[in-house]
Amino acid sequence: MRVFVADHPLITHKLTVLRNAKTPQPTFRLLIEELMTLLAYEATREVRVEPHEIETPVAPTTGVRLSEPLPLIVPILRAGLGMLEGMVKLVPTAEVGFLGMARDEETLQPTTYAERLPDSLAGRQCFVLDPMLATGGSLAAAIRFLFDRGADDVTAICVLGTPEGVEAIREAAGDREVTLVLGALDEGLDEQAYIVPGLGDAGDRLYGTVDH
Ligand SMILES: O=P(O)(O)OC[C@H]1O[C@H](OP(=O)(O)OP(=O)(O)O)[C@H](O)[C@@H]1O
Ligand SMILES: O=c1cc[nH]c(=O)[nH]1
Ligand SMILES: [Mg+2]
């Protein structure tokens, strides 16, 4: 598994505003989307392309275009939905599928309550979006799900992660092609398995109450 942790002052600056409990919901949403676009640049470094011949006004030349089957973007509802626009801005022709997952706050086990994905993911490059990698239970389940459907390789993009979460993804990945792109690697988890220092509950801050 390849792990990339962003190291760019603009990303750290935007993350600082995002983490601030005083940041209002509209700014929070905008920042998640902007951060996604910045992380997408790294996450799509290995996106598959093929040679493509065109003619400029001056001369014929060979460039590239995305290979088929086109990449599949999978936001994990709810919080991952906040990252979708930022990703499709960069890869507008990609297909989008959906996974709805919720972590039981007592047992910390994820349940999948919705799924809208192609029946076969054979040969597909998948990009999974979820801002928070806490225990890693939710993302590990999502990654297993995609490989079970035949996905070729999976890149997961998270705004914040923890060392515990990274290890859970390493275990779920085994020897399969998995890349993890993080905006930052935080210290760890508190007693309720919230990321420390983190940003609180991403889903609530995007779509509901700020005080969870
Ligand atoms: O790494 P884990 O310990 O599994 O926790 C992370 C998960 O928790 C959050 O979703 P949540 O279950 O709160 O659902 P929501 O997006 O609807 O708020 C987050 O968006 C991840 O999916
Ligand atoms: O810190 C955390 C942990 C899980 N889910 C969140 O939204 N935030
Ligand atoms: Mg939540």
Side-chain angles (χ1 to χ4, degrees), residues 60-72:
T61 188
T62 306
V64 298
R65 66 181 170 196
L66 290 179
S67 301
E68 301 216 350
L70 290 169
L72 179 74

Side-chain angles (χ1 to χ4, degrees), residues 24-91:
Q25 189 188 32
T27 312
F28 188 92
R29 275 193 193 178
L30 193 69
L31 282 167
I32 288 271
E33 192 185 319
E34 285 180 4
L35 279 160
M36 178 61 238
T37 305
L38 293 170
L39 295 175
Y41 185 73
E42 179 60 34
T44 52
R45 189 171 287 283
E46 305 285 335
V47 73
R48 288 184 201 137
V49 292
E50 61 192 19
H52 181 50
E53 285 170 21
I54 56 147
E55 288 194 22
T56 78
V58 179
T61 188
T62 306
V64 298
R65 66 181 170 196
L66 290 179
S67 301
E68 301 216 350
L70 290 169
L72 179 74
I73 300 172
V74 184
I76 300 182
L77 311 180
R78 282 176 308 173
L81 209 49
M83 298 166 78
L84 182 59
E85 273 309 303
M87 183 71 178
V88 294
K89 253 182 201 155
L90 213 69
V91 198

Side-chain angles (χ1 to χ4, degrees), residues 79 103 105 131-135 189 192-196 198-204:
R103 180 177 86 161
E105 294 299 335
M132 309 305 276
L133 175 65
T135 66
L189 299 166
Q192 271 133 20
Y194 271 76
I195 299 176
V196 180
L199 52 74
D201 188 303
D204 284 354

Side-chain angles (χ1 to χ4, degrees), residues 69-177:
L70 290 169
L72 179 74
I73 300 172
V74 184
I76 300 182
L77 311 180
R78 282 176 308 173
L81 209 49
M83 298 166 78
L84 182 59
E85 273 309 303
M87 183 71 178
V88 294
K89 253 182 201 155
L90 213 69
V91 198
T93 55
E95 193 179 336
V96 181
F98 296 88
L99 267 181
M101 302 184 94
R103 180 177 86 161
D104 182 310
E105 294 299 335
E106 298 293 320
T107 66
L108 303 179
Q109 295 306 306
T111 52
T112 303
Y113 60 83
E115 176 259 303
R116 192 84 161 90
L117 294 168
D119 288 339
S120 167
L121 298 178
R124 295 299 281 260
Q125 263 187 316
C126 298
F127 293 87
V128 183
L129 318 181
D130 193 332
M132 309 305 276
L133 175 65
T135 66
S138 305
L139 188 59
I143 287 174
R144 286 198 190 97
F145 190 98
L146 295 173
F147 280 122
D148 286 351
R149 279 268 167 107
D152 239 27
D153 71 66
V154 176
T155 297
I157 305 147
C158 303
V159 173
L160 297 181
T162 61
E164 296 90 328
V166 172
E167 283 319 304
I169 301 309
R170 201 182 295 285
E171 204 181 309
D175 51 14
R176 293 174 290 199
E177 280 292 319

